[in-house]
Amino acid sequence: MARTTASPDTGTPREEQRPAPLDGSGPATPVIALRGVTATLGTRPVLRGVDLSVGAGEAVALLGANGSGKSTTIRAVIGQTPISGGELRLFGAPLTGPGRFRDWRRVGYVPQRSTAASGVPATVREVVSSGRLGRRGLRPLGRADKRAVRHALELVDMAGRERDPVHALSGGQHQRVLIARALAGEPELLIMDEPLTGIDLASQRVLADALRERRAEGVSLLFVLHELGPLAPLIDRSVVLRDGLVERVEHPEQLHDLACHPHEAAPDDGALAATGLRVGEVGFPRRGVDA
């Protein structure tokens, strides 16, 4: 069943479809689906009812001040942070319980900048090749695996650096290697936590080009960002979090400089009405609200 909302461009009514069911029974099951998700760190509530969906082939950015719940949200999605309430599904399957999601090779994850080799001497090729573990296990790499590693290195413009030790790389090059490692696994969903932080503009543009190609191939993207930067043209929706709740949803062209300071200007009622959502909602109707 559809509902009618006002077009943000013309103010004229338009038809908007209800969100797909979370259980995979709908024709357009979200790749990621959170409804009313809560989480705590110790005794402190961090997520207080987050609703979020990412569709197949869609690119979504999570924005907000430090401590708003951005990184906790994606760590909940990949199972690193247990949720204390609500519902969370990947590719239509619950994250826990009967029938839980198990096919983690479909998911690529790039954490905040860290030591890729964990203090162990390793080359660029070795680190990127580890991205195939989800598909090959501990077996030697086959032709398809080597092809995927080579393609991932080409995507991030590191094809000539395979033998270089990771510890000798610059910050931007190091981040490219982490992203190549995730890309080498050929995921259908790629999740990245602040991939642009601390790297030079040239590396940011290389990463944007690499991600643009993967998105053109149908890969879904979820970012945590402080600012959109060169990734702005890729983003379908920017979801602004505040104090563990969704504050608003914007298209990138509406954000301007608010990506860095998202709480300096609150949206007016008309802007929220144009999205068909209320504060705290992203893509799903709040319980008890007739959508």
Side-chain angles (χ1 to χ4, degrees), residues 237-239 246-251 254 275 277 281-282:
R237 286 182 293 119
S238 296
V239 178
V246 173
E247 184 179 54
R248 68 185 188 276
V249 184
E250 301 277 16
H251 295 289
Q254 295 173 295
T275 69
L277 302 169
E281 299 173 20
V282 186

Side-chain angles (χ1 to χ4, degrees), residues 224-244:
V224 166
L225 298 171
H226 280 295
E227 56 186 13
L228 301 182
L231 296 179
L234 297 176
I235 305 299
D236 294 301
R237 286 182 293 119
S238 296
V239 178
V240 181
L241 297 180
R242 184 175 189 178
D243 297 330

